[in-house]
Amino acid sequence: MGGRWPVSVVLRPPADGALSRRLDALTVEAAAIAGGGHWQTGQVGSAHLTVRALEFYRPDVDPDEPVIKRYRAAMERAASTIGPARIEVTGLTLTPGTVMASAVPLDDQADLFMDQLKDELGPDAWHELGYGRRDIWYLNLLHFTGDIPSPEVLIEWVREHRSVSLGEATIRAAELVRFWHAPDGPRPFMRPQLLASVPLGS
C-alpha cells in the first residue's frame, strides 16, 4: 500500500473553507461507521476532484523531470483563459470501494479546463484516452481497505445524506500532485504532495 495513485491534476476546495470542514466532519462519521484502517481521503487538505490522471503510479517523481515540466506547461496554457471554478457538493453516494461526495459545477469553468487540458497535453494525455471523457465530478471521502463490520449501517447513513447540499466552494487553482500513503495516526490517508499550482485565469 505504498502508493497506487499516479501523478494527477486535481482541484481542491480551499482548506480553510466551510465545505472542506464539512467534508472532513463527514469523513470522520463515515470512518467511525465503517471501522478502522480505511483511508480518510475526505479530510482537510486531502479532499479533491480529479481532473485527469496522467500516468501509471511510480515511486520516484522529480519536479524537475522534463515530463513534469510539460504537464505544468500544459496546465498553464489550459488555465490561461479559464476563470475560478465554482462547485456545489450535493450529497453522498456509495460504491463498492468508496464513500463519495457528488459535486455539481455551478459554472462551466471546471469542464472547460478539463477539456482544454486534454488538448494542451497532446501526446502526454495518453493515460486516460482509453476510458473516455470524465462525465461526473466527485470527491472521495473514504476508501475501503478491508471489511466493514456493519455494512447495512453505512448504507443507511449514506442514504440519509444522498440528497443533502453540503456546501459550495470556489476553486482558484489547478494543482499537479502525486500521492504518498500516510498510514500513521488515527486517520490514514493518501497524502497529496504538490508538484505545481496553476491559478485558473493566469
Side-chain angles (χ1 to χ4, degrees):
M1 297 175 67
R4 68 180 186 186
W5 297 355
V7 173
S8 300
V9 178
V10 303
L11 303 175
R12 283 193 285 186
D16 59 352
L19 176 59
S20 288
R21 293 192 295 271
R22 181 66 173 133
L23 294 174
D24 186 275
L26 286 168
T27 300
V28 171
E29 289 186 47
I33 296 169
H38 305 294
W39 294 352
Q40 296 191 34
T41 313
Q43 61 186 281
V44 170
S46 174
H48 62 275
L49 305 107
T50 299
V51 178
R52 194 174 192 91
L54 297 175
E55 55 186 51
F56 294 111
Y57 170 77
R58 52 193 172 102
D60 298 313
V61 178
D62 185 337
D64 291 326
E65 291 175 16
V67 68
I68 298 298
K69 292 181 178 180
R70 293 200 306 271
Y71 296 158
R72 183 170 63 244
M75 291 170 63
E76 290 170 349
R77 292 191 299 271
S80 64
T81 60
I82 300 297
R86 297 173 57 240
I87 64 160
E88 178 184 6
V89 178
T90 58
L92 304 186
T93 190
L94 194 62
T95 76
T98 66
V99 176
M100 290 168 36
S102 302
V104 175
L106 297 177
D107 55 34
D108 60 357
Q109 300 304 290
D111 286 307
L112 284 173
F113 175 69
M114 178 175 63
D115 291 338
Q116 291 191 26
L117 177 63
K118 173 184 174 293
D119 293 340
E120 294 293 348
L121 283 165
D124 285 329
W126 63 270
H127 185 66
E128 288 197 5
L129 290 180
Y131 300 100
R133 184 183 185 276
R134 291 176 181 261
D135 58 1
I136 61 171
W137 291 99
Y138 60 89
L139 306 95
N140 283 307
L141 301 188
L142 198 68
H143 278 88
F144 306 136
T145 61
D147 293 336
I148 299 170
S150 300
E152 68 281 356
V153 178
L154 182 63
I155 291 169
E156 180 58 30
W157 180 80
V158 170
R159 183 180 292 118
E160 292 171 357
H161 293 81
R162 187 173 300 280
S163 300
V164 178
S165 178
L166 302 176
E168 302 177 11
T170 299
I171 301 173
R172 302 185 182 278
E175 297 176 321
L176 184 68
V177 299
R178 60 158 316 173
F179 294 90
W180 291 100
H181 184 220
D184 297 329
R187 305 186 70 185
F189 72 120
M190 291 292 285
R191 176 175 61 83
Q193 175 189 347
L194 185 65
L195 299 172
S197 179
V198 175
L200 296 176
S202 61

